[in-house]
């Protein structure tokens, strides 16, 4: 394929090529600029920043700001650093992603392979979850969390994110399973596999690509969520995003910009990590060869 | 009471009736082919035998056991799907033994059955491969192997050859027939290919629009089609159907047909009971191979009629030569020996084997039995 397309492609002149790459490199640098600023300034002592030079490399390299942001900085009223909130976020995001992905996979399986009267309508209604703005559900959700007795807790946040996430994860899995040959399910039925056995042994093993997409999507959204975290988490369950905001807005003493930069990078790291790790498993063509000759 | 009994089975989706009162009784060891154009209900009927679709009314029983509402896995059937439906994440061996595993057969027993079937189908060397690394023909074998290891009462084949290329299809067809002869299993086979139906089956059920049009041996279906649909659907090239007027002279019936120039000629019927149709229009059905040159005519036939006509087109096809002409305003195809000396646009003397001719009532489209 690549050979053919190289042969048949219109030849681009070398001057044009240099020009194209120059522009691309410039754009890349431009987009990397904020990261550069954040990284360099998080590794400087505060005096170098307040001295007014944001763009230069640190004269004295130090990880003091990172240590402070992690364990001693003033967040809201207590000098705990971001660590407890980072743990809160992990405790919220892992179950929320896992549960919404599994439920989405089950929903997609049922909506495509165990069709029933009104399934399309039901699916349409579930899609509303993708379109309803967060703000609309704040008050009813607060009421429900109150009734369930999990207001202000991590479990409460997990519930909120699962409920909101099912719409998306169902959409992804349903559309993926729609192209999964129903004959495979029928063959498994004749072979004697039941509802969950078919799901576990036949459907899930080929769901890798869509599971990765769903996990990346859910993880990013839930980790980065601020509104639900700010609205429903008590002090003890506060997630990273809210804590970062409190760190930056704490009004005692001088503004430690280097600590703020370090905290912001910390808050962004897990999503980056998920992209790098999960992206590698994003392999296509798992379905190749199941059917047809 | 047969081995597999389908009695008064109907299927409706809401108000749409897709199968009407189907009755088939299959004996043990029979190879039944359900054939018909797409949408005739043949796959629906097969799915109901498999238990993948509920039966609206009527009964299906296997070995005298009523199967209505019984789960597919408890019917002791195995099915080969059109797309093979091999589990992509499992090896060939796992694919073939999955059903046994689900039925709680111990590992040692599974391995023994797998080895037997793999040897029978000559797929021993493929057992550790994934379906994605197999060719179409190999996948087909694995799909059959998966059905065979179960040792079911009834095999269901749902258009198993339609995804193969032409050459492989013919090979696998022979393979399936050999397998049936060797194992003597009961097979229900769905296809839209009338050649497959004729070559494989012990009996054929020709279906159209949710009705069984005719149920019979390949010879019955081919020689004495029950109606116009069966006559034109089975056989390639299709049976020639031409309007003719019946004339009775001295108690003997003749078909009066017009050649390309509109000249009327008569063909004497072998069939005796047409006196009451004197002067009426009928539809005359003649298979292409019943129209030949004089030398090529069937020597066993009691009644060869001569018919002279202008040849329109000649299509040599290697083993045969197809000759097209116009009779009573319709195109008629004759199938001749390859070396028959025919030329296009010439007048030619044809021999028509009237022993093989069939007569249809133009109103009901049913055959007038002889």
């Amino acid at each position: 394929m690549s050979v053919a397309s190289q042969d048949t492609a219109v030849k681009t002149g070398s001057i044009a090529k240099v020009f194209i790459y120059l522009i691309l490199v410039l754009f890349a640098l431009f987009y990397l600029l904020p990261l550069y600023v954040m990284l360099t300034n998080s590794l400087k002592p505060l005096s170098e920043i307040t001295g007014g030079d944001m763009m230069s490399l640190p004269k004295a390299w130090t990880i003091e700001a990172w240590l402070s942001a992690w364990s001693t900085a003033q967040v809201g009223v207590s000098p705990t650093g971001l660590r407890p909130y980072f743990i809160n976020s992990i405790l919220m995001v892992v179950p929320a992603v896992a549960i919404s992905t599994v439920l989405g996979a089950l929903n997609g399986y049922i909506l495509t392979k165990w069709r029933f009267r009104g399934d399309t309508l039901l699916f349409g209604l579930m899609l509303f979850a993708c379109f309803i703005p967060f703000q609309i559900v704040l008050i009813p959700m607060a009421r429900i969390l109150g009734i369930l007795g999990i207001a202000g807790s991590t479990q409460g946040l997990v519930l909120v994110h699962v409920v909101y996430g099912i719409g998306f994860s169902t959409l992804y899995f349903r559309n993926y399973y729609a192209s999964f040959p129903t004959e495979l399910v029928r063959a498994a039925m004749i072979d004697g596999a039941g509802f969950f056995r078919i799901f576990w042994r036949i459907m899930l093993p080929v769901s890798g690509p869509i599971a990765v997409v769903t996990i990346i999507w859910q993880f990013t959204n839930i980790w980065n969520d601020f509104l639900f975290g700010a609205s429903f988490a008590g002090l003890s369950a506060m997630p990273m995003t809210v804590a970062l905001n409190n760190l930056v807005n704490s009004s005692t003493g001088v503004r430690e910009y280097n600590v703020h930069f370090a905290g912001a990078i910390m808050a962004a790291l897990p999503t980056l990590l998920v992209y790098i790790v999960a992206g590698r498993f994003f392999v296509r063509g798992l379905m190749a060869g199941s059917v047809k000759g | 009471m047969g081995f597999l009994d389908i009695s008064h089975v109907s299927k409706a989706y809401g108000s749409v009736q897709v199968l009407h009162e189907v009755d088939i009784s299959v004996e043990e060891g029979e190879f039944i082919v359900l054939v018909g154009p797409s949408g005739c209900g043949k796959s629906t009927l097969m799915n109901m035998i498999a238990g993948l679709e509920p039966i609206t009314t009527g009964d299906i029983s296997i070995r005298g056991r009523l199967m209505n509402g019984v789960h597919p896995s408890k019917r002791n059937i195995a099915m080969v799907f059109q797309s093979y439906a091999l589990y992509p994440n499992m090896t060939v061996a796992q694919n073939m033994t999955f059903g046994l595993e689900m039925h709680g057969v111990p590992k040692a027993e599974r391995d023994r059955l797998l080895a037997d079937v793999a040897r029978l189908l000559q797929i021993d060397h493929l057992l550790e491969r994934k379906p994605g690394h197999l060719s179409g023909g190999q996948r087909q074998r694995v799909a059959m192997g998966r059905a065979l290891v179960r040792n079911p009462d009834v095999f269901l084949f749902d258009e198993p050859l339609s995804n193969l290329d032409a050459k492989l299809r013919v090979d696998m067809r022979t393979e399936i027939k050999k397998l049936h002869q060797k194992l003597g299993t009961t097979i229900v086979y769905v296809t839209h290919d009338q050649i497959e139906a004729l070559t494989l089956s012990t009996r054929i059920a020709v279906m159209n629009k949710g009705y069984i049009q005719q149920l019979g041996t390949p010879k019955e279906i081919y020689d004495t089609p029950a109606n116009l649909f069966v006559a034109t659907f089975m056989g390639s090239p299709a049976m020639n159907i031409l309007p003719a007027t019946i004339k009775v002279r001295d108690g003997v019936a003749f078909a009066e047909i017009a050649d390309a120039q509109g000249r009327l000629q008569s063909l004497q019927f072998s069939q005796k009971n047409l006196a009451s149709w004197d002067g009426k229009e009928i539809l005359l059905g003649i298979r292409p191979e019943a129209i030949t040159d004089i030398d090529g005519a069937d020597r066993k036939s009691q009644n060869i009629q001569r018919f002279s006509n202008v040849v329109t087109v000649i299509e040599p096809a290697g083993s045969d030569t197809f000759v097209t002409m116009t009779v009573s305003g319709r195109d008629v195809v004759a199938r001749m020996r390859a070396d028959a000396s025919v030329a296009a646009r010439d007048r030619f003397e044809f021999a028509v084997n009237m022993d093989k001719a069939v007569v249809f009532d133009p109103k009901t489209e049913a055959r007038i039995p002889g």
Side-chain angles (χ1 to χ4, degrees):
Chain A
M1 217 346 236
S2 62
V3 177
S5 58
Q6 251 173 29
D7 285 351
T8 51
V10 178
K11 286 267 185 292
T12 316
S14 51
I15 299 169
K17 225 178 233 172
V18 169
F19 192 66
I20 288 169
Y21 276 101
L22 196 72
I23 288 181
L24 287 176
V25 168
L26 279 176
F27 269 111
L29 286 178
F30 183 72
Y31 282 114
L32 283 172
L33 205 56
L35 184 66
Y36 167 80
V37 171
M38 284 173 75
L39 257 177
T40 49
N41 286 306
S42 73
L43 295 166
K44 286 173 190 173
L46 186 60
S47 57
E48 274 186 47
I49 303 174
T50 47
D53 198 354
M54 288 265 284
M55 299 307 291
S56 67
L57 287 168
K59 290 188 194 74
W61 295 80
T62 169
I63 56 161
E64 205 116 310
W66 283 77
L67 295 175
S68 164
W70 182 244
S71 52
T72 59
Q74 187 81 19
V75 176
V77 289
S78 46
T80 54
L82 289 171
R83 184 173 53 190
Y85 309 105
F86 188 88
I87 293 165
N88 279 348
S89 267
I90 295 283
L91 289 178
M92 166 190 77
V93 81
V94 171
V97 168
I99 295 171
S100 61
T101 304
V102 168
L103 286 180
L106 264 176
N107 284 343
Y109 169 53
I110 293 166
L111 287 171
T112 52
K113 303 304 168 207
W114 299 81
R115 308 284 303 268
F116 50 91
R117 190 180 286 273
D119 55 357
T120 323
L121 180 70
L122 182 71
F123 176 58
L125 291 174
M126 292 189 82
L127 280 186
F128 272 112
C130 308
F131 305 123
I132 294 175
F134 283 13
Q135 287 78 358
I136 287 180
V137 298
L138 282 182
I139 291 172
M141 187 58 88
R143 178 94 184 99
I144 286 169
L145 290 177
I147 290 169
L148 295 175
I150 48 176
S153 68
T154 301
Q155 297 96 294
L157 278 181
V158 169
L159 177 72
V160 173
H161 284 301
V162 165
V163 168
Y164 236 107
I166 282 178
F168 279 102
S169 58
T170 302
L171 169 70
Y172 291 151
F173 276 99
R174 184 207 166 264
N175 288 353
Y176 187 76
Y177 288 154
S179 62
F180 185 94
T182 304
E183 285 194 343
L184 279 173
V185 175
R186 297 188 150 194
M189 277 172 75
I190 291 176
D191 270 343
F195 177 85
F196 282 107
R197 203 86 76 103
I198 294 173
F199 181 59
W200 187 248
R201 294 282 297 271
I202 312 290
M203 306 293 284
L204 270 192
V206 294
S207 308
I210 200 64
V212 169
V213 169
T214 311
I215 287 170
I216 290 180
W217 173 266
Q218 291 291 92
F219 190 96
T220 313
N221 274 342
I222 297 173
W223 184 273
N224 288 340
D225 163 70
F226 181 78
L227 184 66
F228 287 152
S231 312
F232 299 134
L235 269 183
S236 61
M238 194 188 290
M240 190 73 169
T241 43
V242 180
L244 179 67
N245 175 63
N246 292 354
L247 169 77
V248 174
N249 289 332
S250 288
S251 48
T252 46
V254 284
R255 285 188 166 265
E256 298 178 296
Y257 291 111
N258 51 352
V259 176
H260 299 170
F261 279 130
I265 295 173
M266 270 178 210
L269 271 182
T271 41
L272 255 173
L273 199 73
V274 165
Y275 272 98
I276 292 165
V277 173
R280 283 179 46 204
F281 296 102
F282 192 93
V283 275
R284 281 179 301 168
L286 276 176
M287 295 296 294
S290 63
V291 291
K292 274 262 221 190
Chain B
M1 196 79 173
F3 190 75
L4 162 65
D5 269 318
I6 301 165
S7 49
H8 309 296
V9 166
S10 299
K11 176 74 184 176
Y13 294 105
S15 58
V16 187
Q17 187 92 358
V18 293
L19 275 181
H20 306 265
E21 293 278 314
V22 171
D23 274 299
I24 303 176
S25 180
V26 183
E27 296 304 321
E28 182 158 15
E30 262 200 290
F31 197 132
I32 289 276
V33 173
L34 308 176
V35 66
S38 46
C40 71
K42 57 191 191 296
S43 288
T44 308
L45 181 57
M46 167 151 289
N47 285 336
M48 290 198 296
I49 299 172
L52 296 168
E53 301 237 18
I55 301 162
T56 308
T57 58
D59 293 328
I60 291 180
S61 54
I62 298 174
R63 288 197 150 184
R65 191 160 75 92
L66 188 64
M67 286 298 167
N68 295 25
V70 175
H71 190 270
S73 67
K74 303 215 161 59
R75 297 184 176 209
N76 201 18
I77 48 148
M79 191 155 170
V80 177
F81 292 88
Q82 179 176 4
S83 66
Y84 318 140
L86 301 176
Y87 312 125
N89 54 310
M90 299 184 200
T91 63
V92 167
Q94 287 167 336
N95 258 290
M96 285 170 65
T97 53
F98 184 71
L100 297 173
E101 188 193 333
M102 291 298 117
H103 282 81
V105 177
K107 179 89 170 70
E109 176 77 358
R110 296 208 297 262
D111 288 345
R112 193 180 59 73
L113 291 167
L114 173 67
D116 287 351
V117 172
R119 205 172 318 115
L120 178 70
L121 292 170
Q122 293 158 6
I123 49 175
D124 326 49
H125 58 295
L126 303 174
L127 292 180
E128 293 314 310
R129 295 216 206 146
K130 292 271 176 76
H133 299 122
L134 301 179
S135 70
Q138 289 170 331
R139 280 177 211 175
Q140 175 68 61
R141 278 166 194 275
V142 174
M144 289 203 298
R146 184 170 68 181
L148 281 172
V149 286
R150 296 272 309 280
N151 190 24
D153 290 334
V154 180
F155 282 95
L156 304 173
F157 284 81
D158 188 6
E159 308 214 14
L161 302 182
S162 50
N163 278 345
L164 299 174
D165 60 63
K167 165 104 175 58
L168 204 52
R169 194 179 306 167
V170 175
D171 293 348
M172 288 307 291
R173 201 170 71 199
T174 317
E175 201 86 1
I176 291 177
K177 182 132 194 176
K178 269 192 214 155
L179 210 59
H180 177 248
Q181 281 175 359
K182 194 189 279 180
L183 302 173
T185 44
T186 311
I187 296 178
V188 180
Y189 186 108
V190 161
T191 182
H192 61 263
D193 181 346
Q194 44 91 19
I195 305 267
E196 268 175 40
L198 290 168
T199 49
L200 286 170
S201 65
T202 56
R203 274 197 300 161
I204 300 175
V206 184
M207 299 179 67
N208 191 33
K209 294 178 179 158
Y211 290 94
I212 298 246
Q213 302 288 332
Q214 189 174 2
L215 177 64
T217 64
K219 190 170 167 50
E220 285 166 6
I221 299 273
Y222 193 77
D223 288 344
T224 52
N227 54 41
L228 215 49
F229 174 80
V230 177
T232 47
F233 188 77
M234 302 300 287
S236 173
M239 180 185 269
N240 298 301
I241 303 291
L242 32 140
T245 313
I246 291 200
K247 295 272 151 102
V248 179
R249 289 180 223 128
D250 304 331
V252 180
F254 291 84
E256 203 169 66
I257 53 176
D259 68 10
Q261 276 134 3
R263 267 183 16 212
L264 294 176
Q265 300 186 37
S266 299
L267 304 175
Q268 188 190 326
F269 278 108
S270 305
Q271 197 169 334
K272 303 284 187 230
N273 59 345
L274 295 168
S276 61
W277 289 80
D278 188 17
K280 290 184 188 153
E281 278 269 314
I282 50 104
L283 291 170
L284 178 63
I286 305 173
R287 293 266 176 214
E289 62 271 20
I291 310 175
T292 56
D293 55 328
I294 309 260
D295 292 342
D298 184 355
R299 280 170 224 294
K300 284 194 217 123
S301 172
Q302 307 290 312
N303 181 13
I304 299 283
Q305 296 287 307
R306 299 218 174 169
F307 178 72
S308 145
N309 201 357
V310 178
V311 172
T312 319
V313 175
I314 300 174
E315 296 165 284
S319 55
D320 303 300
T321 299
F322 294 104
V323 177
T324 308
M325 65 190 114
T326 307
V327 181
S328 302
R330 305 242 185 134
D331 274 351
V332 165
V333 178
R335 182 184 214 144
M336 304 215 181
R337 299 169 298 142
D339 50 358
S341 52
V342 201
R345 288 190 288 277
D346 280 1
R347 185 162 274 278
F348 188 80
E349 191 83 355
F350 293 94
V352 182
N353 180 359
M354 288 301 282
D355 280 355
K356 296 281 186 184
V358 282
V359 187
F360 298 99
D361 182 332
K363 283 195 199 68
T364 63
E365 298 197 344
R367 186 170 61 87
I368 302 163

